């Protein structure tokens, strides 16, 4: 079947437009897997709410005729102050989804991060793209499988290892339970109808090279088939994870190390001491601890604590170029974008990811001009006004600053 770009993609003006198209293109269970958070979704909502409270400082009569969105990440030049976040199951949102997303990111000049729980394997992606990419690692209880993943990332010439540290216990996501989400999706009457109404999506996934966890299939002992791999992975998150395990990783991984899932300044300082080249200030997109602070609120105290000892990347709720500017102004070198690019992927594959990146880049460019800043690398707290307190309560502002 000839590929066709949805008409809605050609007129998509915002990430929200891509989100709406993604909802139409993929089954509800998969859309909710991407879109929703854990428990009451307080953290999910806080990520967006607190970004919206940060007001940008407009400046005029400043020469911004020559603007540059480029910066460096881990010593490497990037065309935009962004990276694509690790997102599991992308290959079920669009056939060979991880490969398409990586190609779009590399064409745009920004890093792509492959999830441990991707559908395409490390080797699949490495064989299909031209440049190195980042690999995200979960520390499984089975250290043999963990070591094997690191060694495979080394063999694939991955340029950075992103160790996720906030999944020592798996939080419940109510929407996934209600939708009966499994890998592949469980066949119920509703799910069958959702699939039947989306033949293009179904055919695309069927044409993809894999339909299970590509990084685990054939590498996990005594776990045959999709259901076996799912049970194995759900039982492998390690509540005994400690800083000693990060030292163990440093003994196996020779390259650049990024620690993802930090919200506390003390933890950020420990990560920097442990040799992290960069820290991702992250609450797992509101999918883990519910009721904690937003990432944009956590960022300034972490920046104050670690200084220049480690580069800071922030994720959580980034939906616009204005949000990217807010993240940079609050102390990050770059923003990690998850749902925003996945909406594009689900909407139209590689073209949708490209569209998402371009939307964010263009919005950042215009916002920089209106804030009177010519270089993304020069954005700092001077480009923010004081946060707007909800209902005029100054205590909420203090909480935003001190989380």
């Amino acid at each position: 079947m000839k590929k066709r770009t949805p008409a809605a993609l050609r007129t998509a003006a915002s990430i929200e437009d891509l989100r709406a198209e993604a909802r139409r293109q993929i089954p509800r269970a998969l859309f909710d897997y991407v879109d929703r958070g854990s428990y009451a979704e307080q953290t999910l909502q806080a990520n967006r709410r607190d970004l919206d409270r940060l007001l940008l400082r407009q400046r005029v009569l400043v020469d911004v005729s020559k603007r540059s969105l480029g910066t460096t990440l881990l010593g490497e030049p990037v065309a935009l102050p962004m990276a694509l976040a690790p997102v599991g199951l992308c290959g079920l949102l669009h056939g060979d989804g991880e490969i398409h997303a990586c190609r779009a990111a590399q064409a745009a000049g920004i890093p792509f991060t492959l999830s441990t729980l991707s559908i395409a394997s490390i080797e699949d992606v490495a064989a299909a793209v031209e440049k190195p990419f980042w690999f995200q690692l979960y520390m499984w209880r089975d250290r043999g499988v963990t070591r094997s993943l690191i060694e495979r990332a080394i063999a694939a010439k991955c340029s950075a290892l992103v160790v996720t540290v906030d999944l020592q216990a798996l939080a419940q996501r109510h929407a996934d339970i209600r939708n009966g989400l499994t890998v592949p999706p469980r066949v119920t009457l509703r799910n069958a109808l959702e699939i039947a109404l989306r033949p293009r999506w179904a055919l695309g996934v069927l044409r993809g090279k894999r339909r299970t966890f590509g990084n685990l299939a054939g590498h996990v002992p005594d776990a045959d088939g999709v259901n076996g791999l799912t049970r194995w992975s759900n039982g492998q998150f390690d509540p005994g994870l400690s800083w000693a395990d990060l030292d163990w990783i440093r003994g196996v991984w020779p390259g650049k190390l990024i620690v993802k899932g930090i919200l506390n300044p003390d933890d950020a300082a420990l990560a920097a001491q442990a040799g992290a080249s960069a820290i991702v200030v992250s609450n797992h997109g509101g999918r883990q601890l519910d009721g904690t602070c937003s990432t944009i609120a956590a960022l300034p105290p972490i920046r104050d604590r670690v200084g220049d000892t480690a580069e800071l990347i922030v994720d959580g709720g980034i939906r616009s170029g204005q949000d990217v500017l807010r993240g940079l102004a609050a102390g990050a070198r770059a923003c990690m974008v998850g749902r925003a690019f996945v909406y594009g992927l689900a909407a139209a594959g590689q073209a949708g990811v490209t569209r998402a990146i371009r939307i964010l880049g263009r919005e950042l460019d215009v916002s920089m001009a209106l804030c009177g800043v010519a270089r993304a690398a020069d954005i700092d707290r001077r480009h923010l006004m004081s946060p707007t307190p909800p209902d005029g309560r100054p205590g909420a502002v203090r909480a935003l600053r001190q989380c």
Side-chain angles (χ1 to χ4, degrees):
M1 183 181 295
K2 184 179 180 181
K3 292 183 178 180
R4 177 179 60 86
T5 300
L9 181 63
R10 295 193 292 271
T11 57
S14 67
I15 298 300
E16 184 58 33
D17 288 345
L18 294 177
R19 178 177 179 270
E21 183 62 17
R23 186 193 292 271
R24 287 188 286 267
Q25 292 291 331
I26 64 176
R28 176 179 174 179
L30 289 174
F31 179 81
D32 284 351
Y33 165 77
V34 169
D35 197 58
R36 304 293 296 275
S38 63
Y39 301 106
E41 300 186 335
Q42 293 176 344
T43 301
L44 177 73
Q45 295 162 16
N47 282 341
R48 279 298 327 148
R49 182 182 64 242
D50 289 348
L51 277 166
D52 288 339
R53 286 177 182 161
L54 290 183
L55 303 183
L56 301 175
R57 187 181 298 278
Q58 177 178 300
R59 297 300 304 274
V60 298
L61 299 179
V62 178
D63 184 357
V64 290
S65 58
K66 297 179 180 179
R67 296 188 298 281
S68 171
L69 275 62
T71 186
T72 60
L73 270 177
L74 303 179
E76 298 292 331
V78 293
L80 297 166
M82 294 189 299
L84 298 194
V87 179
L89 309 188
C90 280
L92 293 186
L93 307 176
H94 189 280
D96 295 327
E98 292 88 3
I99 292 171
H100 290 294
C102 188
R103 286 173 173 167
Q106 293 188 350
I110 63 175
F112 168 80
T113 316
L114 182 68
S115 170
T116 292
L117 295 179
S118 59
I119 300 302
S121 70
I122 303 171
E123 294 80 7
D124 294 336
V125 179
V129 301
E130 297 179 353
K131 302 174 185 176
F133 51 90
W134 296 354
F135 179 68
Q136 176 266 334
L137 178 76
Y138 289 126
M139 276 292 291
W140 303 122
R141 292 174 188 263
D142 188 329
R143 294 296 191 262
V145 173
T146 304
R147 176 184 285 273
S148 174
L149 285 166
I150 297 173
E151 291 172 345
R152 290 165 62 195
I154 294 170
K157 296 181 171 55
C158 291
S159 52
L161 188 70
V162 182
V163 181
T164 296
V165 295
D166 61 352
L167 213 74
Q168 61 269 48
L170 186 61
Q172 179 171 297
R173 296 152 199 169
H174 297 336
D176 291 349
I177 293 175
R178 291 168 183 148
N179 290 329
L181 181 67
T182 59
V183 182
R186 190 179 71 198
V187 178
T188 65
L189 182 59
R190 189 177 76 179
N191 287 346
L193 181 60
E194 291 269 345
I195 293 171
L197 292 173
R198 293 166 175 83
R200 188 173 296 275
W201 163 82
L203 183 57
V205 171
L206 288 173
R207 284 179 169 174
K209 184 172 183 178
R210 300 180 191 273
R211 288 170 292 282
T212 185
F213 298 118
N215 289 322
L216 303 181
H219 297 274
V220 173
D222 303 321
D224 295 327
V226 174
N227 292 333
L229 288 172
T230 301
R231 286 192 298 270
W232 182 88
S233 62
N234 287 343
Q236 282 291 315
F237 298 112
D238 189 356
L241 195 63
S242 71
W243 292 105
D245 294 299
L246 206 59
D247 292 337
W248 179 85
I249 290 173
R250 291 301 293 158
V252 182
W253 172 257
K256 297 169 183 176
L257 181 69
I258 302 172
V259 177
K260 180 177 182 290
I262 300 291
L263 289 176
N264 185 283
D266 292 340
D267 289 339
L270 289 170
Q273 292 171 17
S277 305
I279 294 166
V280 183
V281 180
S282 173
N283 54 33
H284 218 95
R287 295 165 65 82
Q288 277 296 101
L289 178 61
D290 199 31
T292 191
C293 66
S294 68
T295 52
I296 199 67
L299 177 58
I302 290 176
R303 165 51 68 206
D304 292 342
R305 182 65 178 275
V306 304
D308 295 326
T309 58
E311 295 182 5
L312 296 184
I313 303 170
V314 66
D315 76 358
I318 306 296
R319 297 289 187 276
S320 68
Q322 292 88 344
D323 291 338
V324 175
L325 200 160
R326 290 176 174 116
L328 302 184
R333 180 177 289 269
C335 294
M336 191 168 264
V337 177
R339 289 182 176 92
F341 95 80
V342 172
Y343 294 143
L345 178 67
Q350 184 172 333
V353 179
T354 297
R355 185 74 171 203
I357 295 170
R358 286 178 178 171
I359 286 171
L360 295 172
R362 288 170 181 169
E363 290 174 345
L364 173 61
D365 182 50
V366 171
S367 299
M368 284 171 49
L370 296 177
C371 287
V373 58
R375 296 189 335 128
D378 293 336
I379 297 171
D380 58 25
R381 295 184 190 182
R382 294 172 298 173
H383 300 103
L384 286 179
M385 299 176 69
S386 298
T388 303
D391 304 322
R393 293 174 295 170
V397 176
R398 288 195 296 271
L400 186 62
R401 290 173 177 164
Q402 299 172 4
C403 180

